[in-house]
Amino acid sequence: MIILLLVIHIMVAIALVAVILLQKSEGGALGMGGGGMSGFMTGRSTANLLTRATAILAAAFMTTSALLVVMHRTREAAGACGSERTTRPLEYASRTLAAPG
């Protein structure tokens, strides 16, 4: 389940980057907004569509991020991620350092 959610998360991230790059640059700092693409995807309705798509994809990205964290914490609490394996050396080190001899 976590792998499926991770694949969806990566696809949403790629789509979000693509939609952001398709938008027309207002400041012109990167120089990607105009030039040869003046006839492609122009107009107010397209800008509204891209803005709406960006908002939806951003919400999906944040949701999948939060779900991945929750699922990882749940697996870690159940001991499925090897959390016991990583904490035992720390417990052993703290006992040996605390004992004076």
Side-chain angles (χ1 to χ4, degrees), residues 89-101:
L90 295 175
E91 291 172 4
Y92 175 74
S94 65
R95 280 186 292 181
T96 56
L97 292 175

Side-chain angles (χ1 to χ4, degrees), residues 2 17-18 26 28-29 36-37 48 61 63 74 81 95:
I2 199 165
V17 169
E26 292 183 17
M37 294 187 57
N48 288 338
F61 182 81
T63 303
T74 304
C81 292
R95 280 186 292 181

Side-chain angles (χ1 to χ4, degrees), residues 36-87:
M37 294 187 57
S38 61
F40 180 68
M41 292 186 67
T42 59
R44 190 166 181 84
S45 64
T46 305
N48 288 338
L49 174 69
L50 289 175
T51 303
R52 205 171 289 142
T54 303
I56 291 169
L57 287 171
F61 182 81
M62 295 300 284
T63 303
T64 55
S65 296
L67 286 173
L68 282 169
V69 169
V70 168
M71 290 179 74
H72 177 71
R73 297 278 181 174
T74 304
R75 280 182 77 183
E76 190 176 88
C81 292
S83 60
E84 295 174 11
R85 189 175 48 217
T86 58
T87 57

